Amino acid sequence: MKKIDRGITFVDKDMGLFKCPVCDEGFSKIVHKSIVCKQGHQLDFSKKGTLYFLKHGVKSDYDDEKMWQARRSVLTAGLFQPIIDKIASFLPHNKALKIVDAGCGEGSTLNYLDQQRAGLNDIYVGFDISKKAVDLATQISGNSFFCIADLAQLPFMTSSFDVIIDMFSPSSYEEFERVLKTKGLLIKVIPNKNYLVELRHMLYEKDDLHYSYSNDKVLTLFKQHYPQAKTKRLTYKFLLAKTNFESLLYMTPLHWGATESRISAALSQGLDEVTVDVSLLIIENN
């Protein structure tokens, strides 16, 4: 099946998940290769089977194909598999779930989660503001649907999803609460101070602001919204034997502020392993 046909089939089956970015009404039908809302506004499916929900063009540092290709390489090698395994452990295994990945990037998270929950008939939707990331996500022959959308105006109906996953992405908590079902789960993954610390120290001097990291601001904001949230820390070493160091370097914004000389030195030196140090913030929507 062509990508566009696969995307149309998904949306036709689960049209009730989506809302029009123009009028906020639900969609009512698919005509040819377009989806039409109840007020007659129309969105065309791309050749890759995606929908573009942004009302205006957006420039982003994250719309970098080299970065997304590097991220695909490292994630395929398993960098985040223990994190996704931990996420899966919090999900009920006795029913099918509607799961959305906020800031899905190139789609590896949903693909791996789908494999972990094979046979449960979950519905997976991923969105990102980067068109290049979403285009790359459609290359995965999985069961997920991907779209280009903005966190501040999610193209989903109220109380649409059982689970929201937010890995290393910004959050719009008001929108998350709107689209999450009652008793639904929000699982946000944030880096801790030792996340990729070896790479950070290779790229920056000790007196540089980027040499160290604190998640205090992110954690404080989350706890302001969800004081009853559970926090689970996960720390492990990832061996770089299955991928190359250059991909690790370019998959993360850590290199953006580094000098060319520091980047060159890091590429020459390389690393055998890196530390993954994250916290999972889990809340049930009331």
Side-chain angles (χ1 to χ4, degrees), residues 117-187:
R117 292 177 56 83
L120 290 173
N121 298 315
D122 293 327
I123 293 168
Y124 295 98
V125 176
F127 73 88
D128 203 284
I129 203 167
S130 168
K131 183 178 182 297
K132 289 181 179 177
V134 170
D135 284 348
L136 186 58
T138 64
Q139 295 180 9
I140 300 175
S141 57
N143 299 311
S144 304
F145 176 80
F146 296 100
C147 55
I148 298 94
D150 187 354
L151 276 166
Q153 189 180 17
L154 297 181
F156 310 121
M157 297 297 287
T158 298
S159 301
S160 297
F161 290 97
D162 300 290
V163 181
I164 298 175
I165 298 170
D166 180 353
M167 285 184 61
F168 307 110
S169 293
S171 299
S172 176
Y173 296 121
E174 291 80 7
E175 280 290 83
F176 284 177
E177 290 164 13
R178 182 183 66 80
V179 304
L180 192 60
K181 293 180 181 179
T182 301
K183 302 299 181 182
L185 288 177
L186 166 60
I187 303 175

Side-chain angles (χ1 to χ4, degrees), residues 82-273:
I83 302 175
I84 305 169
D85 287 339
K86 181 62 72 173
I87 290 173
S89 73
F90 293 115
L91 305 182
H93 283 74
N94 57 351
K95 64 175 182 178
L97 301 173
K98 294 180 179 178
I99 300 173
V100 61
D101 185 1
C104 66
E106 43 65 61
S108 293
T109 296
L110 284 185
N111 183 54
Y112 184 68
L113 187 61
D114 185 19
Q115 294 173 15
Q116 293 299 91
R117 292 177 56 83
L120 290 173
N121 298 315
D122 293 327
I123 293 168
Y124 295 98
V125 176
F127 73 88
D128 203 284
I129 203 167
S130 168
K131 183 178 182 297
K132 289 181 179 177
V134 170
D135 284 348
L136 186 58
T138 64
Q139 295 180 9
I140 300 175
S141 57
N143 299 311
S144 304
F145 176 80
F146 296 100
C147 55
I148 298 94
D150 187 354
L151 276 166
Q153 189 180 17
L154 297 181
F156 310 121
M157 297 297 287
T158 298
S159 301
S160 297
F161 290 97
D162 300 290
V163 181
I164 298 175
I165 298 170
D166 180 353
M167 285 184 61
F168 307 110
S169 293
S171 299
S172 176
Y173 296 121
E174 291 80 7
E175 280 290 83
F176 284 177
E177 290 164 13
R178 182 183 66 80
V179 304
L180 192 60
K181 293 180 181 179
T182 301
K183 302 299 181 182
L185 288 177
L186 166 60
I187 303 175
K188 182 174 177 64
V189 181
I190 63 173
N192 293 326
K193 65 178 182 178
N194 289 325
Y195 178 72
L196 303 186
V197 66
E198 298 88 352
L199 179 60
R200 185 181 292 277
H201 289 176
M202 289 179 78
L203 294 175
Y204 299 101
E205 299 281 356
K206 288 184 179 181
D207 59 352
D208 194 292
L209 290 175
H210 297 292
Y211 187 81
S212 59
Y213 171 77
S214 170
N215 63 16
D216 287 349
K217 289 183 179 180
V218 177
L219 189 56
T220 298
L221 181 60
F222 190 88
K223 288 297 182 68
Q224 286 175 355
H225 283 270
Y226 309 108
Q228 72 277 36
K230 298 177 182 178
T231 302
K232 302 292 183 182
R233 187 168 183 173
L234 177 64
T235 304
Y236 57 92
K237 297 288 188 179
F238 177 72
L239 301 178
L240 288 166
K242 294 183 179 180
T243 186
N244 63 65
F245 176 74
E246 183 177 358
S247 293
L248 176 74
L249 177 65
Y250 285 110
M251 67 155 272
T252 167
L254 269 178
H255 74 278
W256 287 352
T259 63
E260 288 297 326
S261 60
R262 277 277 179 171
I263 291 174
S264 296
L267 289 171
S268 297
Q269 182 179 347
L271 285 170
D272 295 326
E273 64 179 21

Side-chain angles (χ1 to χ4, degrees), residues 18-27 37 41 53 153 155 157:
F18 303 93
K19 73 179 181 74
C20 176
V22 179
C23 66
D24 291 333
E25 291 281 352
F27 290 97
C37 82
H41 300 117
F53 286 104
Q153 189 180 17
M157 297 297 287

